[in-house]
Amino acid sequence: MSGMFDAEAERSEEPPAGRSGRSRTLIISAAVLVVLFLGLTGFSSFWTERLWFKSVGFGSVFLTLLWTRIGLFLVFGGVMAAVVALNLALAYRARPLLINGGDPNLARYRDAITPVMGWLFGGISALMGIFAGASAAGQWREYSLWRHSSPFGHTDPYFNRDAGFYVFELPWWHYLTDFVMAVAVIGLMAAALVHYLYGGIRLSVARDRLSGAAQVHISALLGVFVLAKGADYWLDRFDLVTGSGSLFTGMGYTDDKAVLPAKEILTGIALICAVLFFLNIWRRTWLLPSMGIALLALSAVLLGLIVPGVVQQFQVSPNVPDKEGPYIQANIDATRIAYNLDDIEVSPYSSEPSTSDDLSALDSVTSSVPLVDPKIVSQTFEQEQQVRAYYSVPSVLDVDRYNIDGTDRAMVLGVRELDQAGLADSDKNWSNLHTVYTHGNGVIAAYGNQRPGDDDQQSATIEWAEGQETDESALTNLSGEGEGYESRVYFGETSPSYSIVGKPDNVDDVELDLPKGERDDENQTTTYGGDGGVPIGNVIDKLLYAVKFSEPNLVLSGRVYDNSKILYDRNPRTMVEKIAPWLTVDSDPYPAVIDGRIQWILDGYTVTDRFPLSQRESLEDMTEDSLVETPGFQTLPTDEINYMRNAVKATVDAYDGTVHIYAWDEEDPILQAWSEVFPDVVEPKADIPESLMSHLRYPDDLFKVQRHQFARYHLTNPNDWYDGANRWDVPKDPQDESTQQPPYRLFLDDTWSLTSVYVPREKNNLASFVSVNSDATSDDYGKISVLELPNERTAGPGQIANELQSDEGVREELLGFTQGGVDPIYGNLLTLPVGDGLMYVQPLYTRRSNDADASFPILRFVLVSYGDEIGIGRSLREAIADVLGVSATDPTPTPETQPDPDPGTGEQPAPEPSGSVDDQIRALLARAEEKFTAADRAQANGNTVGWARLMEQGRDLITQAIELSDARE
């Protein structure tokens, strides 16, 4: 009975067979589903990426990247897997036939492993191969440049090697030596583990801990490792010319006299150690190899750390200028070459402005000075030209030039892009976000000098060159007789993550559009018809994109037709970075209307941190200023660079996404190498259309990097460089002391230029004025000129800004505007050579502070500092006349004859009604009717703020008319 109950108890503790089977089935099913999901996700990412490259016409880039990575993965992963498998097999075959003694636990491990040994060894080898292959695939840049290396034509003075060796070849040789060391170490670990498991290594015995076979095996692997380490020491010598020291980048006295000999000695010791390990295969004694390794470790500490520290402390630090002088000189020479600073022309300049100059002459040379601040007027563009809440312009607008009626005019402009954040929350459904609101529309542009199209007189309000109304069509008219330009913007900086476009002919358009000019109450719609985009009509593509974007509506929605396309990854900068993954793209793509299309223009740079002896610094730090928000450079290989070239100019069509990448600096060796890696991607410079050439310009980020480096490297004497007594700095922005003043684009002596200034380090007075010819059609394009002021006090931007804001005349003039809830906003402070001196010009805007949503900045005054005088006026001419103490004789009415505009609206108040009471009432009612008509137009245009303001003004006029009527009675 007892046995029966025990059997029943055992059966009761066992799970039912059916339940156990179901659990295993569920686990297996779940695992299969997870594997399928991960596989489908990975495949969708891979395949949709291929489709994107194909859609933009650069499928060869995808294939080159793919096959290069696969090749590196297979070669290096295969080598690692083969070496690990070979070492595992050799260690197993060399196991002792009889194992005497040892840990009894190892016997159990051996018994467990032996039946699956082949699978286990294969799995370990494959896993190590996958890791090594993945690491090698990430080295495709280094491998590609190594294969297509070319000389720079510049050699370093220490090893007499061309810069191409350091940029193209050395990184790849470093990777190969590191790979060999990794192979040796992993092979050693695998072999040691098997030898230990099968008795070839016995740690529990006093003597003969290694079998003969294990000793031979381990000695050979250690010999390979130490030999590779010797090669690594040898290559480390060359890194001394690209390493960053505490004072400068490159070889220093300590590096040359202590570190370099140490690397060479360590190389020799490593070679001797490797020979001793190889000899140990036959001698079977660890004494000499152990002594060699000890010597290598001791030498590494003594020669690599202690000796250089002693040399630096007792020889260099007390005599830095004398000891480091020749090395500083080499750093100066290399830095000026790497950043193209050698051709900068420095001229002495004595600023001696005369306030007795002729007003007409000064007015003529300053007529093109930009008064429209690209950062401040963004709000004005939004309020007056955005039309719909779901359109917006950038917070910092772009500046370009256009030839209007034979005159080059600077314009501040921005693309009216789609901003889905402006939609009501209730309207943010999938259909609206991805099939209705798909694109922006048009360009908004204002004349930079606030003069109308005839460029005759400065206006008191912004003069629109291109806007939403039919009479704001300067750029439209450039595109042909009445044809205009393609205004739809499907590829822009704020485009949605993806949009579904295209439809059959028998289906109504659903994409909202914004026609120019008068609009009725019905929404205008359109359908994308460009060549860009990925077809998404078949079920497989729908499924893959549904997985990619985690959106089942891509499969289920009735708005995804057989001829539909999906647009994604359409930020112009992202597109160029994907097509040319070796480029660092300028942080500011800018739009231009060219041949009837909106084209995004981008500058692409080739950079490296391996140019010998050149100063290495952070690209992001060098380009930071008050206009930069988040640059987010894709810099390669790191953010720190010591060489930069404007290698290419690129364009992206805002309508269909067509990308062109044109060579610009065709002599650049890095561009030449990548052009061989990716043939047919970069088009020749000669293919740049003439219409595009007139809009190409000297890039902002390159100029910022050069001005940053030249601030110190204008000094070519090593002692002067070290002393730093004449070192310059880019001044702080007077309106934002936390960052630097940005460079400004303007016409300088009729030359389209990019300008900036320097102040002495830690000082505020002016040291020099710097400008670069930014006209790509000019033979002097890229020529940087510096006007160096004498060593006497010349006020810098910060001091001038303080003088302008504290001047009594300015404060009195502003008193009426700074009262009653109106805030002054000081614009960009421009410095420019005028006549025999430097003139400072600053626009002053005002904005109502009690209505932040509806108000916007309006230009009220222009401030000028010239010589020792400060002037203020409603126009630049008036401000200059105030400086000179003469009458402006400006056609624009003076403050004595023209009332002040309303601080919030910028409109001039109408004249007071005159005549009989009936005449006054009729005049007030007529003006009210005008206000109501204008309000209707504003409402039709979607300008609700303007509609409300005009309605209020109309009602006020009617109230005045009623009061007059009541008073008469």
Side-chain angles (χ1 to χ4, degrees), residues 357-398:
D357 289 344
D358 180 71
L359 173 61
S360 298
L362 290 180
D363 182 48
S364 175
V365 298
T366 59
S367 62
S368 62
V369 172
L371 301 174
V372 178
D373 189 314
K375 186 174 184 178
I376 293 177
V377 300
S378 174
Q379 301 171 49
T380 307
F381 275 49
E382 287 275 3
Q383 290 290 339
E384 294 200 350
Q385 291 285 347
Q386 74 172 4
V387 182
R388 299 284 191 271
Y390 46 83
Y391 291 117
S392 68
V393 294
S395 58
V396 178
L397 300 171
D398 293 294

Side-chain angles (χ1 to χ4, degrees), residues 104-185:
N105 290 325
L106 293 178
R108 291 197 294 271
Y109 290 136
R110 287 193 293 271
D111 293 339
I113 289 173
T114 300
V116 294
M117 183 177 58
W119 288 101
L120 181 62
F121 285 3
I124 293 174
S125 301
L127 184 62
M128 293 298 101
I130 290 172
F131 287 149
S135 173
Q139 300 294 317
W140 66 269
R141 292 184 178 88
E142 289 77 6
Y143 169 75
S144 298
L145 288 177
W146 171 73
R147 279 201 61 195
H148 300 277
S149 62
S150 59
F152 274 70
H154 169 75
T155 58
D156 74 281
Y158 303 106
F159 300 107
N160 200 33
R161 288 183 176 268
D162 187 87
F165 168 77
Y166 301 96
V167 175
F168 299 130
E169 300 179 28
L170 187 58
W172 181 246
W173 291 122
H174 268 305
Y175 176 75
L176 288 181
T177 55
D178 292 342
F179 178 76
V180 172
M181 285 191 288
V183 167
V185 169

Side-chain angles (χ1 to χ4, degrees), residues 154 248-250 327-342 611-617 622 641-645 705-706 708-710 712-715 721:
H154 169 75
F248 56 87
T249 300
Y327 305 97
I328 293 175
Q329 186 65 63
N331 170 262
I332 292 173
D333 294 341
T335 302
R336 289 173 66 89
I337 292 172
Y339 292 102
N340 258 349
L341 306 181
D342 269 343
F611 194 87
L613 304 174
S614 175
Q615 189 67 25
R616 181 189 298 127
E617 294 193 48
M622 289 189 286
I641 65 169
N642 67 354
Y643 171 93
M644 187 175 190
R645 290 292 185 273
V705 168
Q706 289 177 314
H708 175 90
Q709 293 294 347
F710 195 73
R712 189 171 193 182
Y713 285 91
H714 71 281
L715 301 169
W721 186 94

Side-chain angles (χ1 to χ4, degrees), residues 251-282:
M251 184 83 78
Y253 181 89
T254 302
D255 296 326
D256 190 19
K257 304 302 182 183
V259 179
L260 179 59
K263 296 292 184 183
E264 293 172 343
I265 294 171
L266 290 172
T267 300
I269 296 175
L271 292 176
I272 294 172
C273 287
V275 171
L276 293 176
F277 277 114
F278 290 135
L279 289 177
N280 199 44
I281 295 174
W282 294 278

Side-chain angles (χ1 to χ4, degrees), residues 77 83 135 304 373 440 603 605 689 747 818 914:
V83 170
S135 173
D373 189 314
D603 287 281
Y605 309 112
F747 286 102
T818 55
S914 59

Side-chain angles (χ1 to χ4, degrees), residues 859-878:
L859 182 66
R860 292 299 179 206
F861 294 101
V862 179
L863 310 179
V864 169
S865 174
Y866 190 57
D868 295 326
E869 300 294 332
I870 291 176
I872 181 171
R874 298 296 179 89
S875 68
L876 180 55
R877 179 185 176 90
E878 286 187 11

Side-chain angles (χ1 to χ4, degrees), residues 7 26 82 110 121 198 233 236 250 274 325 449 469 483 540 561 564 584 596 664 712 735 753 852 854 894 902:
L26 288 174
R110 287 193 293 271
F121 285 3
Y198 285 94
Y233 278 131
D236 284 346
N449 60 354
E469 302 303 328
E483 296 180 3
I540 295 177
Y561 305 103
S564 290
T584 296
W664 188 251
R712 189 171 193 182
Q735 312 311 320
S753 303
T894 62
D902 180 82

